[in-house]
Amino acid sequence: MLLELGGFDQSYRWAADYGLFLAIATAGSYKIYHLPRIVATYNQDGRSFWQAQQYMTEFLQIQERHPLLQQPEWRDCRLQVYMEILAHPRGRLGLWRLGDLAAEMPQEVGELRVRLGAAEQRIATMESSKFWQLRERVQGWKSRWRTWRNLGRTP
C-alpha cells in the first residue's frame, strides 16, 4: 500500500504522515473501518507537537495540494477554519502562537501571573469559608434528591 501510494512525501518534514493518511482515505481501493476503541495515540513528546508552527504550515500546504480538499464544500469549510484562526489566534488551531506572544510581552505575562495567583488565593479563601461548605452540603443534598427521584423513590 505504501509503495502504491508513493509512500511518505519526504519534502515534508513535520506532516508527511498527514499527507499519507489523506492519500489512503481518498484512494478508493482501501477499506477504512471505524473501531470503537483506541488503537493508537498521538505522541505529545514528538517533534510535530513541539514544532506546531512548522507542522501547521505543512498541514495547510498539504491541504492546498490535495484534490479532494479543492472541492467547493471542502474549500468553504477550510476557509471558515482559517478565518477563525485569524480572528482568534490564541484559540483553537492558533495555540502555537502563545509561546511567541509570551516572549514578546514579558511584562504582560508577569502581570497575568500575579493576577492569576491572586485569583487562586481568593478561590482558596472562598472554598474554606463556612458559606462555601454549606453550599457544597446543599449541592450534595440536591444531587442525592435527584438520584432518588430518578430511581422512582423518595427519601
Side-chain angles (χ1 to χ4, degrees):
M1 173 176 62
L2 287 175
L3 294 176
E4 274 181 37
L5 295 172
F8 288 99
D9 183 345
Q10 294 183 5
S11 67
Y12 295 112
R13 184 173 176 193
W14 308 102
D17 56 345
Y18 176 68
L20 180 62
F21 295 145
L22 273 177
I24 292 169
T26 58
S29 55
Y30 304 103
K31 290 186 178 183
I32 298 175
Y33 296 95
H34 167 73
L35 297 176
R37 66 180 88 112
I38 297 172
V39 295
T41 59
Y42 184 76
N43 180 3
Q44 293 190 352
D45 292 328
R47 289 191 304 168
S48 297
F49 183 79
W50 293 107
Q51 301 295 331
Q53 183 172 0
Q54 290 90 336
Y55 178 84
M56 283 303 296
T57 300
E58 289 185 3
F59 177 84
L60 297 174
Q61 287 172 352
I62 291 168
Q63 287 188 346
E64 284 298 316
R65 292 182 183 159
H66 198 280
L68 174 70
L69 300 178
Q70 299 309 307
Q71 295 176 10
E73 60 274 7
W74 281 99
R75 288 187 70 83
D76 292 345
C77 180
R78 289 173 46 230
L79 185 58
Q80 284 295 120
V81 171
Y82 297 162
M83 289 189 318
E84 183 178 331
I85 292 169
L86 291 173
H88 308 285
R90 295 182 198 156
R92 206 164 164 212
L93 298 176
L95 285 174
W96 53 268
R97 293 196 59 218
L98 285 178
D100 296 339
L101 291 171
E104 294 170 11
M105 302 182 297
Q107 182 178 355
E108 289 86 348
V109 170
E111 290 172 8
L112 285 174
R113 285 189 175 135
V114 168
R115 290 174 59 192
L116 178 61
E120 288 173 340
Q121 183 61 40
R122 281 195 302 267
I123 291 169
T125 302
M126 282 186 344
E127 288 177 341
S128 65
S129 72
K130 288 182 182 180
F131 171 76
W132 190 271
Q133 292 169 4
L134 178 61
R135 179 187 173 278
E136 291 294 308
R137 199 176 319 161
V138 169
Q139 292 294 342
W141 292 335
K142 286 181 179 179
S143 176
R144 283 192 290 281
W145 175 257
R146 276 187 239 114
T147 301
W148 279 93
R149 190 181 64 206
N150 291 339
L151 293 174
R153 304 178 192 159
T154 54

